[in-house]
Amino acid sequence: MGLYMSISSLIFIGILMMDFFSKERVNNIETRLYKYLLILTSIGLSLDIFTGILYNLNVDYNNFFYMIASKLVFVYIVAWLLIFAFYIKLISMPNSENRNKKLYSSFMIFAFIFIIVTPFILILPVHYIETDATIVPKGISMIIAYIVSALLIIYTIGLAIKNRKIISKRKIKPLYALVILLIVNFLAQNFFPDLFLINFLLSLVVIFMYFTIENPDVKMIKELNMAKDQAEKANRAKSEFLSNMSHEIRTPLNAIVGFSECLIESPNLDSEAKDHAKDIVDASNNLLEIVNGILDISKIEANKMEIVPKEYNPKEVFNGLCKLIIPRIGAKPIEFRSNITEDLPGILKGDVGKLKQVVLNILTNAAKYTDRGEIIFSVSCINRIDTKKCSLNIAVKDTGRGIKKEDINKLFNKFERFDEDQNTSTEGTGLGLAITKSLTEMMGGRITVSSNYGEGSTFRINIEQDLISMEAPVGSSEEIEIDYSLHSGKRILVVDDSKINLKVANNILRPYNFTIVEATSGFEALELAETGTFDLILMDIMMPKMNGVECLRRLKEIPGFDIPVVALTADAIEGQDEKYIQAGFNDYLSKPIDRYQLNRVLNKYLGGK
């Protein structure tokens, strides 16, 4: 019966090994130990079957092969118990800096025991006592094997009891199974001495362990989740870095652009100095475009760019883009023509900010890479009144340098720039078209390009928008006018920890005839708000000790406080305006201060046209 049990166990262990080794598994100590137990158990069962066959063939038990095989069975039992004891040692050790060092010390001790014990079992004599039922090996080598095995079992049980609070209940179950099966084996052999079941029982423990060790597939999933968590942490760290970078770069740019614009408007400056100031503003705007491009592509890669639909007047938007691109053409001998269809709806709904960014990127590229000839900006549409949809078809055709056929497929890749020998003087990072394509596709649109190298290119954009009305809203205008006389004497509190930024704000706000009060910290702003009356507060966000959000929260705790507070910050990553408005600010202005947005805010909260 014992022989048949060993054969059936070997078959089952073989099937288990095929399943275990066929799967991709995590290569850690636990799975390696289980692999060794599987292999060792198959060897032990094979030896058991071999001695059983020899016995059933009535081979002389003093035969060399029979003696070596029976001794190797006991070597196998000792080796199996050593590996199992090391496994219990492994799962009983908490994670710590010196865990691997302790495991290595334990491994060396167990290896030393095996090296010392094995020769004694193999070399020392053994004799066999024949009974009516079976043949029982006796001798000092067997006694050594029994003593070492018993000590290992006692050690393993003691280790488990000592570390019962650390060891997982699921992982300790194989030890329970081993103890129970050894007791069963002891009782069975008292009643049936011919039943040598120890190898069969050890194989049952190994089979049971398969369902208690960390499943390789589950471990892989856990590791993938850990990698995902680490990637998300890295992405959050990158976002924080980009936010800080945006703030650090925009803060000095605010001063450069602000002071330069003041110089341009100064009546006491000669024309040459004003031209230099304009060059400074242009260079600053180029740098700002680069910063915005890096921030945009990072947001797109992190899947944090959101579509924010708003109602807008498309005619005003496209006419405004025409006005923006003309200064970028500058003194180049280029004719700019716009063909905007007359049947363009009065009000559409979509992410107008991203639409403007996409079209402006294409127009800017045309202005950059066209030295002479013409740029034609065309807008047509297909209005579907029944479905309330409008399909915008936008085309930008230029007579610029064109694109080689082999480069067209790479045109929308990040950081790709072509003909570097010809474009060394052209500014840019190679991100513009990658961002344009991503934003267009996010809005459900499509962008295509056709080009003849040396003759020019045509970019076509198709985007569908919601059609709200064919009639334009009365009195709408892209330009926001402001009546400076309306604001004389209005009190504005400007809060910023940077004295340069306060000076910039003073210079920009001077034409409005405000009474400007400055605060260099959130604490100072609280004191001034409690003791004085203000019509508007412009609040910086990133201030030491008390940031703008915390200062706003404290301001709103003042009884009767109802002053509009506008976030004025260099933290200008996409979506920050919604973030600050949700935090309680009435509105949002980014640095460098845009005059159009400033006029919009002042008209909204202080009154104007």
Side-chain angles (χ1 to χ4, degrees):
M1 187 185 296
L3 177 62
Y4 296 144
M5 286 183 172
S6 294
I7 293 171
S8 61
S9 295
L10 183 60
I11 293 170
F12 197 91
I13 289 291
I15 295 170
L16 196 65
M17 287 176 69
M18 289 175 61
D19 180 69
F20 183 80
F21 288 108
S22 65
K23 289 182 179 179
E24 187 178 2
R25 59 191 181 279
V26 180
N27 188 26
N28 59 17
I29 300 176
E30 190 175 334
T31 52
R32 286 202 296 271
L33 285 176
Y34 186 70
K35 176 180 70 175
Y36 300 146
L37 274 180
L38 273 175
I39 296 169
L40 190 61
T41 303
S42 65
I43 294 171
L45 288 169
S46 300
L47 289 170
D48 200 25
I49 292 167
F50 180 69
T51 56
I53 291 171
L54 291 178
Y55 174 75
N56 284 297
L57 292 175
N58 295 317
V59 173
D60 182 10
Y61 44 80
N62 290 313
N63 179 283
F64 173 78
F65 293 106
Y66 188 91
M67 291 180 66
I68 288 296
S70 61
K71 285 185 176 184
L72 285 174
V73 169
F74 282 94
V75 171
Y76 149 72
I77 293 170
V78 172
W80 194 99
L81 290 171
L82 280 167
I83 294 175
F84 187 78
F86 187 71
Y87 169 76
I88 299 299
K89 180 74 174 178
L90 170 69
I91 63 175
S92 67
M93 293 181 68
N95 287 322
S96 61
E97 293 182 0
N98 58 351
R99 182 174 186 260
N100 289 337
K101 188 181 291 186
K102 289 181 179 179
L103 280 173
Y104 179 76
S105 300
S106 299
F107 171 78
M108 294 304 296
I109 293 169
F110 289 147
F112 178 75
I113 292 171
F114 180 76
I115 292 169
I116 294 296
V117 170
T118 300
F120 282 105
I121 296 174
L122 293 176
I123 296 171
L124 291 175
V126 63
H127 60 275
Y128 300 91
I129 298 174
E130 188 172 2
T131 65
D132 294 337
T134 188
I135 297 172
V136 180
K138 297 286 184 180
I140 191 165
S141 65
M142 299 301 103
I143 293 171
I144 290 172
Y146 285 136
I147 291 172
V148 173
S149 298
L151 290 174
L152 284 171
I153 293 168
I154 293 168
Y155 167 79
T156 305
I157 294 170
L159 191 65
I161 294 171
K162 180 182 177 183
N163 299 289
R164 61 189 180 277
K165 293 182 180 179
I166 299 173
I167 302 175
S168 165
K169 291 181 180 179
R170 180 167 59 86
K171 292 184 180 182
I172 200 62
K173 286 179 181 178
L175 179 59
Y176 298 154
L178 176 64
V179 173
I180 292 168
L181 290 173
L182 287 175
I183 294 171
V184 169
N185 181 66
F186 176 77
L187 295 174
Q189 284 201 309
N190 278 331
F191 293 100
F192 306 100
D194 59 328
L195 280 178
F196 189 74
L197 299 176
I198 187 67
N199 287 341
F200 169 71
L201 298 179
L202 292 181
S203 68
L204 289 182
V205 175
V206 171
I207 293 167
F208 187 66
M209 277 183 72
Y210 181 81
F211 301 100
T212 61
I213 65 164
E214 293 280 3
N215 183 286
D217 297 333
V218 174
K219 288 272 297 197
M220 299 260 320
I221 291 169
K222 285 182 178 178
E223 291 208 346
L224 285 172
N225 288 334
M226 286 175 63
K228 180 186 174 186
D229 291 341
Q230 289 174 352
E232 287 177 349
K233 286 179 182 177
N235 189 60
R236 284 194 295 271
K238 182 180 76 171
S239 297
E240 290 174 6
F241 165 75
L242 289 171
S243 178
N244 290 333
M245 185 187 76
S246 169
H247 181 268
E248 295 303 322
I249 294 176
R250 282 172 176 272
T251 297
L253 274 178
N254 181 52
I256 294 168
V257 173
F259 288 135
S260 300
E261 287 180 344
C262 291
L263 289 173
I264 293 169
E265 294 170 1
S266 173
N268 302 319
L269 211 62
D270 60 51
S271 59
E272 185 181 359
K274 286 187 177 183
D275 286 341
H276 291 329
K278 286 178 183 177
D279 291 339
I280 293 170
V281 172
D282 289 341
S284 300
N285 286 330
N286 287 331
L287 178 56
L288 198 58
E289 282 183 17
I290 293 170
V291 173
N292 289 338
I294 294 169
L295 296 175
D296 283 345
I297 204 70
S298 300
K299 293 282 285 185
I300 290 166
E301 287 179 345
N303 293 320
K304 291 187 177 179
M305 189 75 83
E306 297 178 356
I307 298 297
V308 184
K310 295 177 182 176
E311 292 185 4
Y312 65 94
N313 184 332
K315 289 181 182 178
E316 288 184 351
V317 168
F318 294 128
N319 286 328
L321 290 172
C322 293
K323 292 176 183 177
L324 283 174
I325 202 60
I326 290 170
R328 301 195 181 201
I329 295 172
K332 289 183 181 180
I334 297 171
E335 181 186 0
F336 178 79
R337 288 190 284 139
S338 62
N339 299 321
I340 300 174
T341 182
E342 291 297 323
D343 64 342
L344 205 59
I347 304 176
L348 293 177
K349 186 175 183 180
D351 195 324
V352 62
K354 291 183 180 60
L355 177 64
K356 288 166 70 174
Q357 185 176 351
V358 163
V359 178
L360 189 59
N361 277 349
I362 299 300
L363 287 169
T364 302
N365 263 18
K368 276 184 185 179
Y369 297 103
T370 304
D371 297 321
R372 61 181 57 83
E374 63 181 9
I375 297 172
I376 303 172
F377 174 45
S378 304
V379 180
S380 61
C381 64
I382 299 173
N383 299 318
R384 295 187 289 277
I385 308 298
D386 55 335
T387 59
K388 294 288 185 181
K389 295 291 181 182
C390 172
S391 181
L392 292 174
N393 299 300
I394 303 160
V396 178
K397 183 179 180 181
D398 64 61
T399 56
R401 300 167 195 176
I403 307 156
K404 294 176 182 176
K405 288 183 179 179
E406 61 268 25
D407 291 333
I408 286 180
N409 290 333
K410 300 183 288 183
L411 187 63
F412 296 102
N413 294 345
K414 287 177 289 186
F415 306 109
E416 286 281 4
R417 295 187 70 188
F418 309 114
D419 295 338
E420 290 288 350
D421 55 332
Q422 296 184 43
N423 298 330
T424 52
S425 62
T426 306
E427 297 167 335
T429 59
L431 286 173
L433 288 177
I435 294 168
T436 299
K437 184 174 188 291
S438 297
L439 293 179
T440 302
E441 291 175 349
M442 282 179 66
M443 292 185 286
R446 184 168 175 263
I447 182 169
T448 58
V449 59
S450 59
S451 181
N452 292 320
Y453 187 63
E455 296 179 16
S457 307
T458 302
F459 286 82
R460 293 180 177 86
I461 299 167
N462 176 265
I463 295 178
E464 190 174 77
Q465 304 280 269
D466 293 330
L467 198 163
I468 304 302
S469 173
M470 292 299 297
E471 300 297 326
V474 178
S476 64
S477 173
E478 184 68 15
E479 296 295 329
I480 292 182
E481 298 179 1
I482 193 151
D483 187 347
Y484 293 109
S485 63
L486 290 174
H487 305 303
S488 181
K490 294 284 178 75
R491 287 170 57 81
I492 307 293
L493 175 61
V494 183
V495 187
D496 201 308
D497 62 302
S498 168
K499 291 184 178 180
I500 292 178
N501 283 339
L502 289 172
K503 192 173 180 181
V504 170
N506 260 297
N507 278 279
I508 291 173
L509 295 172
R510 186 180 295 132
Y512 299 90
N513 299 314
F514 295 132
T515 299
I516 299 170
V517 180
E518 298 175 358
T520 57
S521 70
F523 298 104
E524 189 177 348
L526 286 172
E527 291 178 7
L528 289 168
E530 286 178 344
T531 57
T533 303
F534 297 97
D535 298 289
L536 182 68
I537 297 176
L538 300 178
M539 177 80 70
D540 184 32
I541 298 297
M542 295 186 181
M543 296 184 292
K545 296 182 181 178
M546 183 190 294
N547 62 37
V549 176
E550 174 63 17
C551 183
L552 175 66
R553 188 186 66 79
R554 300 271 290 272
L555 283 171
K556 291 194 172 185
E557 292 175 356
I558 298 172
F561 180 84
D562 60 353
I563 305 169
V565 183
V566 176
L568 177 59
T569 177
D571 184 10
I573 293 179
E574 169 117 7
Q576 295 299 83
D577 50 351
E578 291 92 345
K579 170 186 168 183
Y580 291 124
I581 288 169
Q582 287 177 1
F585 287 93
N586 296 87
D587 219 310
Y588 169 90
L589 287 172
S590 65
K591 297 175 185 174
I593 298 170
D594 182 273
R595 294 297 180 100
Y596 170 84
Q597 293 297 332
L598 177 62
N599 287 344
R600 177 188 63 78
V601 167
L602 295 178
N603 275 350
K604 183 175 180 180
Y605 297 103
L606 301 179
K609 293 183 181 179

